[in-house]
Amino acid sequence: MDNLTPAQRRKNMQAIRSTETSIEVKLRKALWKKGYRYRKNYKKLPGKPDIVFPAKKLAVFCDSEFFHGYRWKENKKKIKSNKNYWIPKIENNMKRDKLNKKKLNKDGWKVLRFWSRQINKDL
C-alpha cells in the first residue's frame, strides 16, 4: 500500500528528472575540475549517455538504483505498491540498458555505468 495520496505521489513522480540529476551533476563537476572536457546528454548515441568523450569513444551513464534495477533479484521483492506497473517498467529499463550498451559496443564505444550510490560514496 502506498503511504502517499495519489496527488502526493503524482507530485513526487513529476519531480524526477531524466537529465541534470544530482548524481550526474556531481560527477560532471568532478570531471570538469580535473580538466576533463565532455559532452552531456549526447542525443546522437543510443541511450543518450549522460556524459560522452567523443574523441575517446567513451559513454558514461549515471543510473539510479530504483529505475535501473540495482540488485534486482533481491530488491524486486521490496516493491510493495503498484507492482504490476513497476516490475515490468524496471525490467524493460534493464533490457533497454543492455541493448543500448550492445549497440554502443558494436559501434566501437566503451561504456561505463555508475550507480548513484557509487558516485555519492566514492566519487
Side-chain angles (χ1 to χ4, degrees):
M1 198 77 183
D2 200 350
N3 296 342
L4 302 176
T5 66
Q8 290 171 320
R9 175 61 59 208
R10 179 177 170 80
K11 186 176 179 182
N12 282 0
M13 294 307 293
Q14 286 177 326
I16 297 170
R17 302 181 310 220
S18 62
T19 61
E20 299 297 319
T21 62
S22 60
I23 57 172
E24 181 184 331
V25 171
K26 189 175 187 176
L27 181 57
R28 285 197 334 242
K29 283 183 177 183
L31 290 169
W32 193 269
K33 190 175 180 180
K34 291 203 175 263
Y36 294 104
R37 300 302 178 248
Y38 50 81
R39 299 279 178 254
K40 61 180 190 169
N41 307 113
Y42 203 64
K43 295 176 185 168
K44 294 178 184 178
L45 294 176
K48 198 167 74 171
D50 299 310
I51 301 168
V52 173
F53 299 92
K56 301 287 184 189
K57 290 193 107 174
L58 177 65
V60 180
F61 292 89
C62 305
D63 293 339
S64 70
E65 283 81 3
F66 181 75
F67 291 103
H68 293 272
Y70 179 77
R71 292 187 179 168
W72 184 237
K73 288 187 190 272
E74 58 192 70
N75 287 332
K76 178 178 172 177
K77 298 170 192 163
K78 295 179 185 177
I79 298 174
K80 299 295 181 205
S81 63
N82 210 359
K83 287 182 181 186
N84 293 335
Y85 174 77
W86 284 115
I87 291 174
K89 167 113 175 111
I90 294 168
E91 287 175 348
N92 284 336
N93 288 349
M94 293 165 60
K95 286 178 193 170
R96 188 187 65 235
D97 290 344
K98 286 180 185 175
L99 181 64
N100 287 331
K101 181 180 181 190
K102 198 175 192 178
K103 287 178 186 176
L104 287 165
N105 289 153
K106 185 180 175 193
D107 292 338
W109 286 80
K110 294 179 202 91
V111 177
L112 295 177
R113 279 194 186 278
F114 295 105
W115 295 109
S116 60
R117 63 180 53 218
Q118 288 176 296
I119 294 168
N120 288 325
K121 185 179 177 186
D122 188 21
L123 186 59

